[in-house]
Structure formats: structure tokens, C-alpha cells
Amino acid sequence: MNRRFNPVFAGLPTTIFTVMSGLATQHGAINLGQGFPDDAGPEDVRAKAAEALMNGSNQYPPMQGIPALREAVAEHYRRFHAVDLDWTNEVIVTSGATEALAAAIMGLLAPGDEAVLLEPAYDSYAPQVRSVGGVPRFVRLEPPRWPITAEALEQVTTPRTRIVVFNNPLNPAARVYGPEELQVLADWCRRHDVIAVCDEVWEHLAFDGRAHTPLIALEGMRERCVKIGSAGKIFSLTGWKVGWICAAPELLAVIAKVHQFLTFTTPPNLQAAAAYGLGKADSYFLEMRAMYARSRDRLARGLTQEGFAVILSEGTYFLNVDLAASGLNIDDESFCRRAVVEAGVAAIPVSAFYERDPVRNVVRLCFAKKDSTIDAGIERLAKARRMM
Ligand code: PMP
Ligand code: GLN
């Protein structure tokens, strides 16, 4: 039997999200691991998808995405960020941000080209880079503030550096990068002629009045950013897998050629519903933020009362705890394994997002849950803490 598989994938473990959700099911645990809300999501957006499924076309939509959604994406970013995009040649629809990332990386990197990845890095980036013969170069970010510096970027820069993958707000760190660090990154991109693949799926989840600024809005970055978004995150419907890519026509043209052979299209009814949703009033987006900020505060308050050292969460669905600062002498992976098996609560070890010199004392918890789920999670984490 021929067992010469692609070594990039054959050697990979199953993603930590699947592993932890599997353990959560197996042990009947409260799942604060994989990031997904435990409610049904906005009814009007789901109704729109149902209506489009029954009354609209269910045949292949256009390869670039339905015009209504591409127009809605352009209009959405004009409204929220004053970014001016021509929907006819600067926006395409993908099957989730995951496909968007794959298409961008495959389209932009040639074998031997280098991609700068900031760790902790979402776990699909490095394998996608390697699958096209690209070479990841890692910048290590550290808690509690996870700062990005020009020095760290310069250290990994070579003449082969082609792209940086920049996730802002940053999962799993829950950091929202503001003007100073964005400027550091933009200056470095321009200095070394680097394209930024901007994974901005958490764009609407920035808390406490923080504004998300897309890197593409900075001076000189309009032509060198590939901006990626996801309806799954914006509408709390993570299973939908409707994403999009915004970029200057020259960049988008090559990325679209990858997309046409990865998935070609995305279910048309979900596209129609995402288009409807992006047009919702500002109040929808503000209320969603406020709701998740309340959940974050509830989890933070409960954990603090139980003696956990909580790291500030500026955005995303996630809150991190520092085990060492909580007085726990255990690494994140062991903590998470024991917590799910022995205390009935699943979390994500942040070391899973590092290849080089992992931070091993931070555990990620998802607060996009009902109050009752959060409260039960706190109780079980307190139990886990007492056991260790
Ligand atoms: N990038 C990041 C940083 C994410 O957190 C996620 C999903 N949680 C994705 C990409 C994937 O998004 P999608 O589900 O739209 O593929
Ligand atoms: N992005 C989600 C998280 O960070 C999980 C996505 C997945 O399961 N692939 O939890």
C-alpha cells in the first residue's frame, strides 16, 4: 500500500478545537473550549437564510459571490471604517475565513517564500503556508499584553519575506491592536515590500469602547492588504462558513483563481442572509458587543473570586487565565486535560498556538455562552483549581 502522503498534513495532530470538544462530549463537560455561542443566533438572519433556501436559487451562484453580498461587504466597510472598496473587483465571497486564508496564502506565496506568523497563531496558518512550499517565520508574542515590536519583526525579515498573517483582534490572546502597533506593522510592510493577510474575523468584537481599525485603512496599505472577514463571527453563527476577501484588484485576481479551484462557490441562501445581516442597523452591532462584554465580565468576576488571575480580554469570544499567577504549578495542557476529565470543564491550552518556545501558563476560555453555562463553568474551574 502506497503511504507516501503529503508530509505537511500526514504529520499533523487533529486540531485542538476538535480534540477538546470531543473530550467535552465524552466526559459530559461544560465546553468553554472551542469558540462558539450556545444559543441559536439572530432569528431574522436565520429566517432570511430559510426564505432564500425555499424561494431563491439553489444552483451555482457566481464564482466571486452573489452581487448582493459583495455590495453589502463594501457598503459595510464604508459605513464602519470609511474604507472605499469597489465590490465588482475588490470583494469575493469564500466558504468561511478558513478558505479565504488558504486562498490568500496559496495565491500569494511561491515555494521558498517566507511568511511571518505572530504566535500565538491560529492553527491553520502554518500548515497552509507549508502546503505550498512556503516557510513560516515566527514572531513570539507574550502575555499579558502580547506587544508587537519593530525589532521582533526585523529579526525574522529576510529577502524572501513575502507576507505576514496578521490576526486582529487576536485569537487566542484576546488583544485588540490599536494605532501604535498597527503603524509599526504598516511601516515594516512598506519598508520590506510585504503583503499583509489580515484575518479580521473578530472585527466586531472589540470591547470597552475600543475601535477596531483595519490595517487596510492605514496610509500606504490600501494596495498591500488582503482583508478577510467571516459572517460566522459577525452573526454568532459559526457553522455557516461564509467569509470574504477584500483586496486591490491585482491581489484579488490571483486569489480568486485559487478560490475557483478550492470551493468555487458558497451556498447561495447563506450568502443572501449574510448580505441582509451586514445591512443591519448600527445598534445590532453595538448591542452584540455589549452583550458579549457582559458575559466576559461575568466570567472574569467569577474566576477572580475563585482565585484565578485573569488576563485582560479586549476582544474576541475569549478570556485567558494565567495559571502561574493563579498560584497553580501546572502547565496549560495538563491543566486542560485534567479539567475536562476530572472536573467536567473544557478549555483550550494556549501553548497549542505556538510552534516555537510556547507560552505554557495560559488557558483560554470561551464566554460566548448563556449565563447559566458561564456560572457552571466557573464552578467547575474552581473545582479543577482545588484539585491541582
Ligand atoms: N481565523 C480566526 C482567527 C478564527 O478565530 C477563526 C474561527 N474561529 C477563523 C479564522 C475561521 O473562520 P471561519 O469559521 O469563517 O472559517
Ligand atoms: N475559531 C474557533 C476557536 O478559536 C474554532 C474554529 C475551529 O474549531 N476550527 O475556538
Side-chain angles (χ1 to χ4, degrees):
M1 151 90 174
N2 173 355
R3 288 205 170 76
R4 283 191 304 150
F5 307 134
N6 182 338
V8 172
F9 295 102
L12 280 183
T14 299
T15 145
I16 188 71
F17 306 117
T18 299
V19 170
M20 289 312 303
S21 283
L23 285 171
T25 306
Q26 189 185 333
H27 295 279
I30 305 276
N31 192 354
L32 304 185
Q34 191 178 26
F36 61 90
D38 65 349
D39 66 10
E43 188 166 346
D44 56 341
V45 179
R46 289 184 291 123
K48 188 76 192 172
E51 191 259 320
L53 183 83
M54 296 313 291
N55 302 321
S57 166
N58 286 291
Q59 308 308 334
Y60 294 127
M63 182 272 278
Q64 299 92 333
I66 65 168
L69 178 52
R70 293 156 69 205
E71 283 187 77
V73 168
E75 184 47 41
H76 193 78
Y77 292 137
R78 192 167 298 122
R79 167 159 56 130
F80 282 95
H81 304 300
V83 174
D84 203 19
L85 294 162
D86 179 347
W87 71 269
T88 64
N89 61 4
E90 295 189 311
V91 181
I92 64 167
V93 176
T94 59
S95 292
T98 309
E99 194 225 336
L101 285 157
I105 289 168
M106 290 170 79
L108 297 174
L109 284 185
D113 284 346
E114 295 179 8
V116 172
L117 305 182
L118 309 170
E119 289 191 316
Y122 190 63
D123 61 351
S124 73
Y125 301 163
Q128 285 173 349
V129 166
R130 291 194 175 106
S131 71
V132 289
V135 181
R137 303 271 294 181
F138 298 107
V139 168
R140 186 174 188 272
L141 306 177
E142 283 180 21
R145 294 296 295 155
W146 322 90
I148 297 173
T149 65
E151 295 71 39
L153 292 168
E154 291 297 340
Q155 263 179 19
V156 296
T157 311
T158 78
R160 296 303 304 256
T161 309
R162 287 285 296 146
I163 66 169
V164 59
V165 183
F166 177 50
N167 176 211
N168 187 34
L170 179 61
N171 174 14
R175 177 76 213 280
V176 178
Y177 291 101
E180 278 162 37
E181 281 154 308
L182 292 182
Q183 198 57 55
V184 163
L185 196 61
D187 290 345
W188 172 81
C189 285
R190 285 205 307 272
R191 199 154 56 242
H192 298 286
D193 194 18
V194 171
I195 294 168
V197 174
C198 301
D199 177 347
E200 298 182 349
V201 301
W202 299 103
E203 58 198 323
H204 275 293
L205 288 156
F207 305 130
D208 311 319
R210 283 182 188 83
H212 166 73
T213 304
L215 194 65
I216 199 169
L218 270 70
E219 206 189 316
M221 295 306 285
R222 183 67 175 73
E223 306 300 315
R224 56 174 71 253
C225 281
V226 173
K227 175 170 170 46
I228 292 172
S230 168
K233 298 301 174 324
I234 297 182
F235 304 111
S236 310
L237 298 164
T238 59
W240 270 25
K241 291 289 173 177
V242 178
W244 48 83
I245 309 178
C246 307
E250 199 188 352
L251 295 178
L252 196 64
V254 65
I255 294 169
K257 289 193 184 148
V258 183
H259 162 70
Q260 70 183 346
F261 294 136
L262 276 177
T263 59
F264 187 69
T265 54
T266 299
N269 66 314
L270 299 184
Q271 293 194 47
Y276 159 81
L278 287 175
K280 283 169 76 98
D282 290 7
S283 56
Y284 164 77
F285 301 95
L286 295 175
E287 280 161 23
M288 175 180 66
R289 273 180 207 207
M291 177 190 77
Y292 284 124
R294 275 197 303 277
S295 298
R296 174 202 61 175
D297 293 344
R298 189 179 188 95
L299 181 62
R301 211 168 35 244
L303 290 174
T304 306
Q305 275 165 10
E306 296 296 343
F308 282 99
V310 165
I311 301 174
L312 175 68
S313 161
E314 299 178 339
T316 73
Y317 287 165
F318 309 113
L319 176 83
N320 290 298
V321 294
D322 181 332
L323 297 178
S326 307
L328 288 164
N329 184 22
I330 186 169
D331 67 84
D332 60 343
E333 221 183 298
S334 312
F335 178 90
C336 290
R337 283 214 168 258
R338 288 193 59 190
V340 70
V341 175
E342 298 171 37
V345 58
I348 299 285
V350 164
S351 60
F353 302 93
Y354 288 83
E355 279 195 24
R356 242 197 29 185
D357 192 11
V359 166
R360 293 197 188 275
N361 59 311
V362 178
V363 166
R364 191 195 83 173
L365 301 162
C366 175
F367 53 72
K369 305 290 176 190
K370 299 187 184 81
D371 286 353
S372 54
T373 312
I374 292 175
D375 293 348
I378 293 166
E379 212 171 282
R380 293 184 184 198
L381 284 160
K383 179 177 164 199
R385 183 179 151 70
R386 286 193 297 273
M387 278 169 10
M388 294 183 202

